Amino acid sequence: TAKKGHAARLAPYFRKQPSLWEVAGLDRGTRLASEIHSATQRFAYLDVPQLLKHALGLRCAGVTSWALYYIWYDASGDASRRHAEELDRFAQLVGDELRFQALSYQTLVSRLSRQSGIDGAYLTYLQQRYELGKQQGVARSAFRGAAST
């Protein structure tokens, strides 16, 4: 089932035509926001209206170089798998337009641990905070087929 209120949360952005995403030149964002608003596109785990609003805010603020990152905890199991599938679908729908990257905390911490100059105490904090012990083993990307970041 779709998250409750997704369509309603986007309604103010469609009170005037063209939509705010259209005015901002976010064509894929416009299409997806419209599909969420009309309930023809649904997401149960991912808060797509919030992501679209963040992208709109960045574009309207005049920020010239930005990317939309989504950092999430991969808890494994069916719900986590479905969440990852929604991340994949969202990434495909918005394409490069939002420069969207999804990354699990597991992958983020793994990548940070391979960087030079990263504070070891901070890495330890992250590993403890997100319970990223050795038993969890392999870190994986939030969406398959994505280029490493």
Side-chain angles (χ1 to χ4, degrees), residues 72-82 106 136 138 140:
W72 65 294
Y73 184 80
D74 185 355
S76 298
D78 194 48
S80 192
R81 178 188 56 76
R82 289 191 307 249
Q106 292 91 326
Q136 288 185 296
V138 179
R140 65 183 178 87

Side-chain angles (χ1 to χ4, degrees), residues 9-21 33 53 56:
R9 289 177 47 215
L10 290 176
Y13 296 84
F14 287 95
R15 287 200 178 117
K16 294 180 182 176
Q17 289 300 322
S19 76
L20 294 176
W21 287 278
K53 289 189 284 184
L56 180 61

Side-chain angles (χ1 to χ4, degrees), residues 14-36:
F14 287 95
R15 287 200 178 117
K16 294 180 182 176
Q17 289 300 322
S19 76
L20 294 176
W21 287 278
E22 200 171 351
V23 170
L26 296 171
D27 296 333
R28 288 179 148 207
T30 299
R31 188 174 320 115
L32 181 55
S34 181
E35 290 171 352
I36 296 288

Side-chain angles (χ1 to χ4, degrees), residues 32-68:
L32 181 55
S34 181
E35 290 171 352
I36 296 288
H37 182 245
S38 66
T40 58
Q41 188 74 249
R42 299 173 191 263
F43 290 82
Y45 294 91
L46 192 59
D47 191 349
V48 173
Q50 189 65 32
L51 293 172
L52 291 172
K53 289 189 284 184
H54 282 308
L56 180 61
L58 287 164
R59 177 62 69 92
C60 290
V63 178
T64 57
S65 179
W66 57 273
L68 187 62

Side-chain angles (χ1 to χ4, degrees), residues 76-147:
S76 298
D78 194 48
S80 192
R81 178 188 56 76
R82 289 191 307 249
H83 184 195
E85 288 169 356
E86 287 191 2
L87 287 165
D88 287 344
R89 185 163 47 106
F90 179 76
Q92 291 170 3
L93 289 168
V94 298
D96 291 337
E97 182 176 84
L98 304 186
R99 290 173 228 109
F100 178 73
Q101 294 289 316
L103 194 66
S104 70
Y105 281 104
Q106 292 91 326
T107 299
L108 174 64
V109 171
S110 174
R111 290 178 184 176
L112 285 174
S113 69
R114 294 189 301 266
Q115 299 292 315
S116 62
I118 300 293
D119 182 359
Y122 183 64
L123 281 175
T124 299
Y125 161 77
L126 289 174
Q127 289 167 336
Q128 291 172 347
R129 168 74 171 85
Y130 297 104
E131 300 177 3
L132 303 176
K134 294 179 192 220
Q135 72 276 10
Q136 288 185 296
V138 179
R140 65 183 178 87
S141 175
F143 51 95
R144 280 31 116 220

